[in-house]
PDB file of all heavy atoms in Angstrom:
ATOM      1  N   SER A1487      -9.745  -5.041   5.279  1.00  0.00           N
ATOM      2  CA  SER A1487     -10.816  -4.856   4.346  1.00  0.00           C
ATOM      3  C   SER A1487     -10.924  -6.064   3.488  1.00  0.00           C
ATOM      4  O   SER A1487     -12.102  -6.591   3.207  1.00  0.00           O
ATOM      5  CB  SER A1487     -10.545  -3.634   3.451  1.00  0.00           C
ATOM      6  OG  SER A1487     -10.443  -2.439   4.204  1.00  0.00           O
ATOM      7  N   SER A1488      -9.877  -6.659   3.036  1.00  0.00           N
ATOM      8  CA  SER A1488      -9.812  -7.838   2.301  1.00  0.00           C
ATOM      9  C   SER A1488     -10.496  -9.049   2.903  1.00  0.00           C
ATOM     10  O   SER A1488     -11.183  -9.819   2.377  1.00  0.00           O
ATOM     11  CB  SER A1488      -8.363  -8.119   1.881  1.00  0.00           C
ATOM     12  OG  SER A1488      -8.327  -8.906   0.707  1.00  0.00           O
ATOM     13  N   THR A1489     -10.299  -9.136   4.284  1.00  0.00           N
ATOM     14  CA  THR A1489     -10.894 -10.202   5.008  1.00  0.00           C
ATOM     15  C   THR A1489     -12.512  -9.999   5.046  1.00  0.00           C
ATOM     16  O   THR A1489     -13.160 -10.993   5.203  1.00  0.00           O
ATOM     17  CB  THR A1489     -10.455 -10.299   6.553  1.00  0.00           C
ATOM     18  OG1 THR A1489     -10.888  -9.166   7.188  1.00  0.00           O
ATOM     19  CG2 THR A1489      -8.986 -10.532   6.607  1.00  0.00           C
ATOM     20  N   PHE A1490     -12.945  -8.834   4.828  1.00  0.00           N
ATOM     21  CA  PHE A1490     -14.355  -8.582   4.726  1.00  0.00           C
ATOM     22  C   PHE A1490     -14.853  -8.643   3.194  1.00  0.00           C
ATOM     23  O   PHE A1490     -15.956  -8.293   2.927  1.00  0.00           O
ATOM     24  CB  PHE A1490     -14.661  -7.128   5.221  1.00  0.00           C
ATOM     25  CG  PHE A1490     -14.772  -7.034   6.678  1.00  0.00           C
ATOM     26  CD1 PHE A1490     -13.665  -6.984   7.527  1.00  0.00           C
ATOM     27  CD2 PHE A1490     -15.978  -6.941   7.325  1.00  0.00           C
ATOM     28  CE1 PHE A1490     -13.724  -6.775   8.904  1.00  0.00           C
ATOM     29  CE2 PHE A1490     -16.066  -6.877   8.725  1.00  0.00           C
ATOM     30  CZ  PHE A1490     -14.971  -6.758   9.490  1.00  0.00           C
ATOM     31  N   GLY A1491     -13.975  -9.023   2.356  1.00  0.00           N
ATOM     32  CA  GLY A1491     -14.289  -9.068   0.915  1.00  0.00           C
ATOM     33  C   GLY A1491     -14.438  -7.624   0.264  1.00  0.00           C
ATOM     34  O   GLY A1491     -15.049  -7.509  -0.698  1.00  0.00           O
ATOM     35  N   VAL A1492     -13.611  -6.750   0.951  1.00  0.00           N
ATOM     36  CA  VAL A1492     -13.742  -5.365   0.409  1.00  0.00           C
ATOM     37  C   VAL A1492     -12.365  -4.963  -0.125  1.00  0.00           C
ATOM     38  O   VAL A1492     -11.364  -5.267   0.393  1.00  0.00           O
ATOM     39  CB  VAL A1492     -14.191  -4.437   1.551  1.00  0.00           C
ATOM     40  CG1 VAL A1492     -13.838  -2.957   1.324  1.00  0.00           C
ATOM     41  CG2 VAL A1492     -15.614  -4.635   1.910  1.00  0.00           C
ATOM     42  N   ALA A1493     -12.364  -4.331  -1.371  1.00  0.00           N
ATOM     43  CA  ALA A1493     -11.197  -3.825  -1.997  1.00  0.00           C
ATOM     44  C   ALA A1493     -11.024  -2.335  -1.838  1.00  0.00           C
ATOM     45  O   ALA A1493     -11.966  -1.646  -1.488  1.00  0.00           O
ATOM     46  CB  ALA A1493     -11.197  -4.231  -3.491  1.00  0.00           C
ATOM     47  N   ALA A1494      -9.786  -1.854  -2.124  1.00  0.00           N
ATOM     48  CA  ALA A1494      -9.583  -0.495  -1.883  1.00  0.00           C
ATOM     49  C   ALA A1494      -9.035   0.158  -3.206  1.00  0.00           C
ATOM     50  O   ALA A1494      -8.222  -0.444  -3.921  1.00  0.00           O
ATOM     51  CB  ALA A1494      -8.584  -0.167  -0.748  1.00  0.00           C
ATOM     52  N   ALA A1495      -9.430   1.368  -3.446  1.00  0.00           N
ATOM     53  CA  ALA A1495      -8.876   2.209  -4.559  1.00  0.00           C
ATOM     54  C   ALA A1495      -8.103   3.274  -3.765  1.00  0.00           C
ATOM     55  O   ALA A1495      -8.631   3.870  -2.842  1.00  0.00           O
ATOM     56  CB  ALA A1495      -9.953   2.862  -5.426  1.00  0.00           C
ATOM     57  N   LEU A1496      -6.877   3.524  -4.207  1.00  0.00           N
ATOM     58  CA  LEU A1496      -6.019   4.514  -3.491  1.00  0.00           C
ATOM     59  C   LEU A1496      -5.733   5.696  -4.448  1.00  0.00           C
ATOM     60  O   LEU A1496      -5.519   5.522  -5.652  1.00  0.00           O
ATOM     61  CB  LEU A1496      -4.677   3.797  -3.158  1.00  0.00           C
ATOM     62  CG  LEU A1496      -4.475   3.003  -1.987  1.00  0.00           C
ATOM     63  CD1 LEU A1496      -5.574   1.962  -1.770  1.00  0.00           C
ATOM     64  CD2 LEU A1496      -3.080   2.352  -1.865  1.00  0.00           C
ATOM     65  N   HIS A1497      -5.922   6.894  -3.860  1.00  0.00           N
ATOM     66  CA  HIS A1497      -5.670   8.076  -4.604  1.00  0.00           C
ATOM     67  C   HIS A1497      -4.662   8.952  -3.781  1.00  0.00           C
ATOM     68  O   HIS A1497      -4.915   9.453  -2.696  1.00  0.00           O
ATOM     69  CB  HIS A1497      -6.943   8.915  -4.710  1.00  0.00           C
ATOM     70  CG  HIS A1497      -7.977   8.293  -5.512  1.00  0.00           C
ATOM     71  ND1 HIS A1497      -7.976   8.434  -6.898  1.00  0.00           N
ATOM     72  CD2 HIS A1497      -9.021   7.433  -5.231  1.00  0.00           C
ATOM     73  CE1 HIS A1497      -9.108   7.724  -7.362  1.00  0.00           C
ATOM     74  NE2 HIS A1497      -9.698   7.113  -6.376  1.00  0.00           N
ATOM     75  N   SER A1498      -3.451   9.101  -4.468  1.00  0.00           N
ATOM     76  CA  SER A1498      -2.504  10.005  -3.838  1.00  0.00           C
ATOM     77  C   SER A1498      -2.367  11.317  -4.502  1.00  0.00           C
ATOM     78  O   SER A1498      -1.637  12.156  -4.102  1.00  0.00           O
ATOM     79  CB  SER A1498      -1.108   9.320  -3.557  1.00  0.00           C
ATOM     80  OG  SER A1498      -0.697   8.653  -4.695  1.00  0.00           O
ATOM     81  N   GLN A1499      -3.001  11.470  -5.644  1.00  0.00           N
ATOM     82  CA  GLN A1499      -2.907  12.768  -6.405  1.00  0.00           C
ATOM     83  C   GLN A1499      -3.248  13.933  -5.450  1.00  0.00           C
ATOM     84  O   GLN A1499      -2.556  14.946  -5.406  1.00  0.00           O
ATOM     85  CB  GLN A1499      -3.806  12.806  -7.626  1.00  0.00           C
ATOM     86  CG  GLN A1499      -3.882  11.695  -8.549  1.00  0.00           C
ATOM     87  CD  GLN A1499      -5.025  10.785  -8.366  1.00  0.00           C
ATOM     88  OE1 GLN A1499      -5.347  10.441  -7.254  1.00  0.00           O
ATOM     89  NE2 GLN A1499      -5.710  10.509  -9.498  1.00  0.00           N
ATOM     90  N   PRO A1500      -4.369  13.853  -4.669  1.00  0.00           N
ATOM     91  CA  PRO A1500      -4.738  14.997  -3.901  1.00  0.00           C
ATOM     92  C   PRO A1500      -3.685  15.393  -2.762  1.00  0.00           C
ATOM     93  O   PRO A1500      -3.844  16.548  -2.297  1.00  0.00           O
ATOM     94  CB  PRO A1500      -6.094  14.702  -3.263  1.00  0.00           C
ATOM     95  CG  PRO A1500      -6.184  13.228  -3.340  1.00  0.00           C
ATOM     96  CD  PRO A1500      -5.394  12.826  -4.578  1.00  0.00           C
ATOM     97  N   VAL A1501      -2.868  14.459  -2.394  1.00  0.00           N
ATOM     98  CA  VAL A1501      -1.875  14.786  -1.361  1.00  0.00           C
ATOM     99  C   VAL A1501      -0.483  15.005  -1.973  1.00  0.00           C
ATOM    100  O   VAL A1501       0.442  15.275  -1.296  1.00  0.00           O
ATOM    101  CB  VAL A1501      -1.774  13.781  -0.273  1.00  0.00           C
ATOM    102  CG1 VAL A1501      -3.125  13.923   0.611  1.00  0.00           C
ATOM    103  CG2 VAL A1501      -1.743  12.332  -0.782  1.00  0.00           C
ATOM    104  N   GLU A1502      -0.341  14.974  -3.339  1.00  0.00           N
ATOM    105  CA  GLU A1502       0.932  15.384  -4.045  1.00  0.00           C
ATOM    106  C   GLU A1502       0.965  16.761  -4.315  1.00  0.00           C
ATOM    107  O   GLU A1502       2.068  17.295  -4.639  1.00  0.00           O
ATOM    108  CB  GLU A1502       1.029  14.356  -5.181  1.00  0.00           C
ATOM    109  CG  GLU A1502       1.420  12.930  -4.861  1.00  0.00           C
ATOM    110  CD  GLU A1502       1.354  12.054  -6.046  1.00  0.00           C
ATOM    111  OE1 GLU A1502       0.902  12.469  -7.130  1.00  0.00           O
ATOM    112  OE2 GLU A1502       1.701  10.876  -5.849  1.00  0.00           O
ATOM    113  N   VAL A1503      -0.135  17.473  -4.563  1.00  0.00           N
ATOM    114  CA  VAL A1503      -0.156  18.861  -4.856  1.00  0.00           C
ATOM    115  C   VAL A1503      -0.345  19.621  -3.576  1.00  0.00           C
ATOM    116  O   VAL A1503      -1.334  19.589  -2.885  1.00  0.00           O
ATOM    117  CB  VAL A1503      -1.329  19.196  -5.833  1.00  0.00           C
ATOM    118  CG1 VAL A1503      -1.375  20.640  -6.200  1.00  0.00           C
ATOM    119  CG2 VAL A1503      -1.236  18.317  -7.002  1.00  0.00           C
ATOM    120  N   GLY A1504       0.832  20.311  -3.109  1.00  0.00           N
ATOM    121  CA  GLY A1504       0.933  20.942  -1.831  1.00  0.00           C
ATOM    122  C   GLY A1504      -0.338  21.756  -1.431  1.00  0.00           C
ATOM    123  O   GLY A1504      -0.839  21.563  -0.318  1.00  0.00           O
ATOM    124  N   TRP A1505      -0.706  22.638  -2.254  1.00  0.00           N
ATOM    125  CA  TRP A1505      -1.876  23.548  -1.881  1.00  0.00           C
ATOM    126  C   TRP A1505      -3.144  22.800  -1.730  1.00  0.00           C
ATOM    127  O   TRP A1505      -4.017  23.199  -0.938  1.00  0.00           O
ATOM    128  CB  TRP A1505      -1.936  24.755  -2.754  1.00  0.00           C
ATOM    129  CG  TRP A1505      -2.111  24.581  -4.211  1.00  0.00           C
ATOM    130  CD1 TRP A1505      -0.984  24.189  -5.140  1.00  0.00           C
ATOM    131  CD2 TRP A1505      -3.196  24.532  -5.045  1.00  0.00           C
ATOM    132  NE1 TRP A1505      -1.514  24.039  -6.305  1.00  0.00           N
ATOM    133  CE2 TRP A1505      -2.814  24.209  -6.322  1.00  0.00           C
ATOM    134  CE3 TRP A1505      -4.596  24.804  -4.743  1.00  0.00           C
ATOM    135  CZ2 TRP A1505      -3.813  24.180  -7.387  1.00  0.00           C
ATOM    136  CZ3 TRP A1505      -5.432  24.688  -5.806  1.00  0.00           C
ATOM    137  CH2 TRP A1505      -5.190  24.402  -7.059  1.00  0.00           C
ATOM    138  N   LEU A1506      -3.342  21.766  -2.531  1.00  0.00           N
ATOM    139  CA  LEU A1506      -4.592  21.020  -2.368  1.00  0.00           C
ATOM    140  C   LEU A1506      -4.555  20.134  -1.085  1.00  0.00           C
ATOM    141  O   LEU A1506      -5.520  19.980  -0.393  1.00  0.00           O
ATOM    142  CB  LEU A1506      -4.788  20.103  -3.640  1.00  0.00           C
ATOM    143  CG  LEU A1506      -5.138  20.933  -4.871  1.00  0.00           C
ATOM    144  CD1 LEU A1506      -5.214  20.077  -6.151  1.00  0.00           C
ATOM    145  CD2 LEU A1506      -6.590  21.606  -4.677  1.00  0.00           C
ATOM    146  N   ARG A1507      -3.326  19.634  -0.847  1.00  0.00           N
ATOM    147  CA  ARG A1507      -3.177  18.833   0.415  1.00  0.00           C
ATOM    148  C   ARG A1507      -3.539  19.818   1.659  1.00  0.00           C
ATOM    149  O   ARG A1507      -4.142  19.400   2.568  1.00  0.00           O
ATOM    150  CB  ARG A1507      -1.799  18.365   0.517  1.00  0.00           C
ATOM    151  CG  ARG A1507      -1.579  17.430   1.676  1.00  0.00           C
ATOM    152  CD  ARG A1507      -0.188  16.928   1.773  1.00  0.00           C
ATOM    153  NE  ARG A1507      -0.048  15.890   2.742  1.00  0.00           N
ATOM    154  CZ  ARG A1507       1.098  15.703   3.585  1.00  0.00           C
ATOM    155  NH1 ARG A1507       2.143  16.581   3.418  1.00  0.00           N
ATOM    156  NH2 ARG A1507       1.162  14.781   4.406  1.00  0.00           N
ATOM    157  N   GLU A1508      -3.019  21.029   1.501  1.00  0.00           N
ATOM    158  CA  GLU A1508      -3.251  21.981   2.632  1.00  0.00           C
ATOM    159  C   GLU A1508      -4.828  22.269   2.786  1.00  0.00           C
ATOM    160  O   GLU A1508      -5.265  22.420   3.821  1.00  0.00           O
ATOM    161  CB  GLU A1508      -2.436  23.180   2.345  1.00  0.00           C
ATOM    162  CG  GLU A1508      -2.331  24.169   3.532  1.00  0.00           C
ATOM    163  CD  GLU A1508      -2.000  23.529   4.859  1.00  0.00           C
ATOM    164  OE1 GLU A1508      -1.204  22.543   4.946  1.00  0.00           O
ATOM    165  OE2 GLU A1508      -2.574  23.900   5.841  1.00  0.00           O
TER     166      GLU A1508
END
Side-chain angles (χ1 to χ4, degrees):
S1487 301
S1488 201
T1489 66
F1490 279 78
V1492 165
L1496 274 50
H1497 294 271
S1498 45
Q1499 312 104 308
V1501 286
E1502 284 170 356
V1503 180
W1505 55 278
L1506 288 172
R1507 185 180 189 216
E1508 192 48 38

